[in-house]
Amino acid sequence: MGKIGDKERRGGKRPATAKARDDGDFGLLLVQLGFHVAAQFRAALEPLGLEPRHIGMLRRLVSAEGQSQQTLGQSLGINANAMVFLVDDLETRGLVERRRNPDDRRSNALFLTPKGHQALGDASRATSHGRGLGRTFSPAQRRELTNLLRRLAEEQGIDEHALPGPPPGRRSGL
């Protein structure tokens, strides 16, 4: 498939010369869209000094505050060493803090700091381009596509709470 033209990128119609494609292009199209959206997401976070993995972890931590570092890492499909490096990075940035786990003094519980909450808000505003994806769809079509993509992710063993990147078992690290 060729590159997308400027008119198409702005939501215009495909040129009349474009032939209807069968679903043989399905995977390729998902890859192209994934790279496109990921590049936009990464670029939007860059001025904040954040990466997609940081935001994935902070978003997950919002609903899992107080969990042990080990439990959270397992739920995200991150090996223990990579989890330590990621949490060290977030702690150095002042976005998360480790506290002794009251249920197990040998482990740490993780919590977002006020700066971590602020970073999530900043990231949400910076990445608002995602709300413009599918702007030519009706709300019902957008919900339907979202549900279909969730089903596809589930079919492929991708947990919706996992960090952006390869699914667990296919990770080469962060």
Side-chain angles (χ1 to χ4, degrees):
M1 285 198 312
K3 292 185 178 182
I4 298 172
D6 288 339
K7 184 175 180 181
E8 288 174 83
R9 235 182 263 120
R10 291 189 306 262
K13 296 193 183 236
R14 298 179 85 171
T17 58
K19 295 179 182 176
R21 298 200 173 32
D22 63 19
D23 66 356
D25 289 336
F26 180 71
L28 179 60
L29 183 57
L30 286 176
V31 169
Q32 288 174 319
L33 286 168
F35 274 107
H36 175 74
V37 173
Q40 287 181 326
F41 189 68
R42 184 174 291 284
L45 292 175
E46 192 173 347
L48 302 174
L50 298 170
E51 301 171 20
R53 67 190 182 113
H54 296 140
I55 300 308
M57 175 65 133
L58 295 176
R59 284 184 179 162
R60 180 67 176 122
L61 193 51
V62 164
S63 63
E65 275 194 303
Q67 279 192 356
S68 75
Q69 185 172 311
Q70 180 182 10
T71 300
L72 189 59
Q74 288 171 343
S75 74
L76 293 169
I78 302 173
N79 75 46
N81 289 335
M83 184 67 174
V84 168
F85 287 118
L86 178 56
V87 174
D88 283 350
D89 186 15
L90 292 170
E91 191 173 43
T92 298
R93 294 165 184 267
L95 304 175
V96 301
E97 66 178 332
R98 292 175 169 113
R99 297 181 197 158
R100 283 281 164 223
N101 187 338
D103 298 327
D104 180 0
R105 291 180 173 240
R106 295 170 296 163
S107 68
N108 291 311
L110 298 178
F111 294 87
L112 278 176
T113 63
K115 187 175 177 183
H117 284 283
Q118 179 66 44
L120 269 177
D122 293 345
S124 179
R125 285 184 290 284
T127 60
S128 64
H129 77 277
R131 293 191 247 325
L133 291 172
R135 66 184 171 275
T136 60
F137 298 154
S138 70
Q141 289 172 322
R142 191 177 168 111
R143 280 189 302 275
E144 181 181 4
L145 179 58
T146 299
N147 289 331
L148 289 170
L149 290 171
R150 279 192 180 117
R151 278 182 48 201
L152 184 59
E154 184 179 326
E155 170 191 294
Q156 296 300 309
I158 300 170
D159 184 323
E160 68 179 281
H161 299 294
L163 294 182
R170 289 181 253 174
R171 284 187 195 280
S172 59
L174 288 178

